[in-house]
């Protein structure tokens, strides 16, 4: 998956030209429950609401199941703002959500130890 184009809302020298909470109209609480690992996918239904550029970018990233964390990273927005945008898209039927599937045990002790060792090496 390719990250969306920066477009006019980002400037290499200045960064984001508008405040992130302007994107969500100041809203800080999504109407749909998400966590960072929640998977979202486009339904193919055209939203009846007007989409801002960030809504359209988020929807474009969801052709395949994508986590909320990945979408926030691609959009370069705080996670809470991304959750509000995704919540809008779920509300109009353009996205569907589901919990991530773990093929292995999510609390596998060897996996957790490997992650901890990796974090210790980076710090």
């Amino acid at each position: 998956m390719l990250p969306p184009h920066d477009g006019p809302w980002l400037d290499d020298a200045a960064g984001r030209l508008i405040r992130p909470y302007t994107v969500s109209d100041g809203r800080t609480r999504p109407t749909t429950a998400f966590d960072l690992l929640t998977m979202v996918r486009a339904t193919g239904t055209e939203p009846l609401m007007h989409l801002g550029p960030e809504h359209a970018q988020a929807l474009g990233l969801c052709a395949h199941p994508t986590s909320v964390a990945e979408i926030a990273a691609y959009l370069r927005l705080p996670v809470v703002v991304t959750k509000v945008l995704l919540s809008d898209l779920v509300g109009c039927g353009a996205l569907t959500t589901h919990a991530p599937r773990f093929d292995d045990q999510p609390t596998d002790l060897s996996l957790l130890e490997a992650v901890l060792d990796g974090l210790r090496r980076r710090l």
Side-chain angles (χ1 to χ4, degrees), residues 2-10 16 53-54 57 61 74-76:
L2 297 174
H5 298 291
D6 290 342
W9 303 113
L10 292 176
R16 185 169 280 281
E54 288 83 4
Q57 287 177 334
L61 291 168
Y74 283 129
L75 295 178
R76 298 181 187 177

Side-chain angles (χ1 to χ4, degrees), residues 48-88:
L48 298 177
M49 60 183 246
H50 170 71
L51 292 180
E54 288 83 4
H55 282 96
Q57 287 177 334
L59 187 56
L61 291 168
C62 297
H64 302 286
T66 309
S67 72
V68 171
E70 287 178 279
I71 295 167
Y74 283 129
L75 295 178
R76 298 181 187 177
L77 289 172
V79 173
V80 69
V81 174
T82 302
K83 288 180 179 181
V84 170
L85 295 176
L86 295 175
S87 182
D88 292 344

Side-chain angles (χ1 to χ4, degrees), residues 1 20 23 41 61 89 92 109:
M1 175 182 339
V23 172
R41 183 175 189 163
L61 291 168
L89 293 168
C92 71
L109 187 58

